[in-house]
Amino acid sequence: MDVGWEEFGWERLAAGVGRRRLPGWDATVGLVVGDGAALLFDAGSTLREGAEIRAQVQGLLGGRRVTHIALSHSHFDHVLGAAAFAGAQVFGAVGLDEVLTRERDALRADAVREGVAEDEAGEAVDVLVHPHHLVCGEWTLDLGGRQVLLVNAGPGHTGHDLALLVPGAADGTPGVVFCGDLVEESGEPQAGPDAIPSRWPAALDRLLELGGEGAAYVPGHGAVVDAAFVRAQREELARRFAVS
């Protein structure tokens, strides 16, 4: 299950669990490997980036392919690479499919505005992948020899925020929580027009319930943080948006 993560430019977080910080927007993609399946958390900002991630994962896993993708939310830097993973089962929070249908033009425009080449943005949106499975509350996935939990933790950063819990091991190794953009380390949390500020602190409370004090929390952008960082960001968001 464990592999040479650093050799392929990935950061190992636990046995069979790693992530990569992508260039450009410092967005994270995560990977959880089981005996029979491999789950990718988010998929990059273009088809080209998605294909690079796919090649890296296959190198890491000796030719094995990504079988599952969890999309944390609808923003371009997290979803536009998903079509590079043919055959993967895609998961998202309830309502994500409707957003991706309704906001196709806005998604393309946002990617171009942020620096993606117009032809690349258009190509990715033309083959935009919608979730095959929608997570209302929680969804347990068996990856073969390990189970992970997909959690509809939002709304907060958007109306449809999905998180991933990789539980700790029996030997006391702490768990890992992939937070998406509910948590950001490399900059202030971004609250765009699709954010739900009044619910964001509660979403972070949910993440802390999932992982507990000992977990590693993986932001959508930036370095891995601990529970104290998430709690401090929760309090700052509560002050910023005048939410208890």
Side-chain angles (χ1 to χ4, degrees), residues 60-71:
L60 271 167
L61 303 184
R64 288 175 56 191
R65 300 168 65 91
V66 167
T67 56
H68 301 73
I69 296 174
L71 298 176

Side-chain angles (χ1 to χ4, degrees), residues 147-182:
Q147 291 187 332
V148 299
L149 188 67
L150 297 174
V151 180
N152 188 340
H157 176 66
T158 71
H160 314 283
D161 293 305
L162 191 70
L164 168 66
L165 169 66
V166 185
D171 64 3
T173 302
V176 179
V177 181
F178 289 92
C179 306
D181 285 5
L182 287 168

